[in-house]
Amino acid sequence: MKNTYKSPCSALLWSLVLPGFGQFYNGQLFIGFFLMVLEVLINYSSNLNLAIYHTFRGELQQAHQVVHYNWGLFYPSLWGYGMWQAYNEAISINNTLREKGISEPLKKADFTGMLFGLVAGMVLGLFFQFIFISPVYTGLAIGLLGAIIGYLVEKCIYKLIDRH
């Protein structure tokens, strides 16, 4: 399965749906299964789905009461890593196919700043949650802000590196 072209965007989007799906798409069954097990464990232990349910019903105080933040802080890292790894593995597979026999991937990893910012922002959003805003909305809002900042920082760093 690793000897066919892989769309990096498809791998990223599959991992956006559920950590591990992008790895399955890339043919990495072990790591895909491992990420899915971690997702189920963290999701169950943090009551994340119940918090999301209460958030969408507008019961924000109830969402705060049911979520276990100690476990919930692990989820953004797992989610972000799954997307980052699947995206860059697809690029690596494609580079290996293009170079015919050279199995070493290119050293540059794309979207590292964006996904690091997303994860860091979501963790900060969950850690510094506001009383009247759902932990889900706070985590996503600060996560998206972190993703934008991380992306811009990464672009600036690569511009500086390319100049030298």
Side-chain angles (χ1 to χ4, degrees):
M1 191 154 188
K2 280 190 172 189
N3 58 359
T4 59
Y5 172 81
K6 302 295 179 187
S7 167
C9 290
S10 292
L12 185 134
L13 290 174
W14 274 113
S15 283
L16 178 74
V17 171
L18 189 72
F21 278 12
Q23 286 72 23
F24 287 144
Y25 171 79
N26 286 334
Q28 298 179 297
L29 302 181
F30 178 77
I31 193 168
F33 181 74
F34 183 71
L35 291 176
M36 284 184 66
V37 168
L38 283 177
E39 194 281 338
V40 169
L41 173 70
I42 293 168
N43 195 320
Y44 176 79
S45 298
S46 67
N47 278 338
L48 184 59
N49 285 344
L50 191 55
I52 292 170
Y53 170 78
H54 288 300
T55 296
F56 288 157
R57 292 184 48 123
E59 302 164 348
L60 305 181
Q61 192 61 31
Q62 186 67 20
H64 280 290
Q65 292 173 352
V66 299
V67 72
H68 296 284
Y69 289 101
N70 291 343
W71 278 99
L73 290 172
F74 288 108
Y75 198 86
S77 298
L78 174 69
W79 194 47
Y81 173 77
M83 290 186 287
W84 176 83
Q85 195 276 342
Y87 179 89
N88 284 291
E89 179 64 22
I91 289 173
S92 176
I93 290 168
N94 295 339
N95 288 337
T96 301
L97 291 173
R98 261 187 233 112
E99 295 172 2
K100 302 266 188 193
I102 300 174
S103 62
E104 188 173 324
L106 294 178
K107 301 297 181 194
K108 180 183 169 193
D110 291 324
F111 293 120
T112 303
M114 183 188 82
L115 290 173
F116 179 77
L118 175 72
V119 169
M122 289 178 74
V123 168
L124 287 174
L126 288 171
F127 187 72
F128 295 112
Q129 30 101 16
F130 304 111
I131 294 173
F132 297 109
I133 300 176
S134 163
V136 174
Y137 290 150
T138 303
L140 286 175
I142 296 176
L144 288 174
L145 179 63
I148 292 167
I149 292 169
Y151 176 77
L152 294 174
V153 167
E154 180 181 19
K155 289 293 241 183
C156 289
I157 290 171
Y158 280 136
K159 281 184 183 180
L160 288 172
I161 290 172
D162 288 342
R163 272 199 253 168
H164 293 1

